[in-house]
Amino acid sequence: MTRVLVVEDEPQLVRALRINLRARGYEVDAAPDGRAALDLAARHRPDVVLLDLGLPDLDGTEVIRGLRGWLSVPIIVLSARDASADKVRALDEGADDYVTKPFGMDELLARLRAAVRRAAPAEEAAVVRTDAFTVDLAAKKAVRDGADVRLTPTEWHVLEVLVRNAGRLVGQRQLLREVWGPSYEKETNYLRVYLAQLRRKLEPDPARPRHLITEPGMGYRFEP
Ligand code: CA
């Protein structure tokens, strides 16, 4: 059984989450604040954490830091719409994904399933197909309409990081760090340029990308 730790101080939301998660076979622990969350996580090791960033005692990012020292399970942040700086900090601290409040229960459950699936040790697919193009991670190439797409090494690297995190938000800083290195974490214009190039080469309609998605102010997501 998958054990979910819900860290949230709004009783009504906790109640709704508990009912919906239990109905789908999850085991649920709930903590109303950060300290209770750290304590509960240590006693009942969760498989996934749903974490509100606005808690009465600790800041949600402090909870992430406290958990990340010893716990590698997915952490999905629940956060208000206007708090994008907080979301970025949460991702930098090691959160895996975020859902903006108010959210639909179906969306949250889909994100939760995806996070748990990704965390399960599985053979990594070497070839990822979309309806428009195919990415072969082992052969390091992309194919569109039966022909190899010519990508520069940097374009390939950006694409590779996104594809290896398929379905998952990759934060701007994380992407810059992985492709260009730690001293380039603020060069978000690089990302705009390279994503535009990748879309021109891969997306059927680059102005309306369906696979290389921008999450404004946050990062990018590859949707197969
Ligand atoms: Ca709150």
Side-chain angles (χ1 to χ4, degrees), residues 9-29:
D9 58 327
E10 287 169 46
Q12 281 180 326
L13 183 51
V14 173
R15 192 165 164 273
L17 287 168
R18 207 190 268 281
I19 289 168
N20 278 281
L21 290 167
R22 282 204 177 136
R24 285 160 183 85
Y26 294 96
E27 219 170 315
V28 181
D29 283 323

Side-chain angles (χ1 to χ4, degrees), residues 7-10 32 52-56 78 101:
V7 188
E8 170 62 65
D9 58 327
E10 287 169 46
D52 177 30
L53 284 184
L55 294 170
L78 311 176
K101 288 181 180 180

Side-chain angles (χ1 to χ4, degrees), residues 70-87:
W70 58 278
L71 190 72
S72 64
V73 303
I75 299 175
I76 301 173
V77 160
L78 311 176
S79 142
R81 187 182 304 281
D82 53 355
S84 92
D86 291 349
K87 288 183 222 162

Side-chain angles (χ1 to χ4, degrees), residues 89-164:
R89 276 205 301 139
L91 293 166
D92 284 339
E93 288 293 344
D96 294 85
D97 202 354
Y98 74 92
V99 176
T100 302
K101 288 181 180 180
F103 49 80
M105 200 52 79
D106 286 345
E107 186 199 354
L108 178 75
L109 292 166
R111 296 283 187 88
L112 186 75
R113 280 194 301 275
V116 170
R117 204 165 47 231
R118 279 194 306 268
E123 201 66 5
E124 189 177 58
V127 178
V128 178
R129 286 171 218 285
T130 75
D131 55 3
F133 58 90
T134 300
V135 180
D136 187 332
L137 293 168
K140 290 190 178 292
K141 65 177 189 178
V143 177
R144 183 181 172 188
D145 301 327
D148 286 5
V149 180
R150 299 178 74 87
L151 298 177
T152 67
T154 304
E155 287 168 355
W156 171 259
H157 202 167
V158 172
L159 181 65
E160 186 183 26
V161 172
L162 293 175
V163 170
R164 284 193 192 282

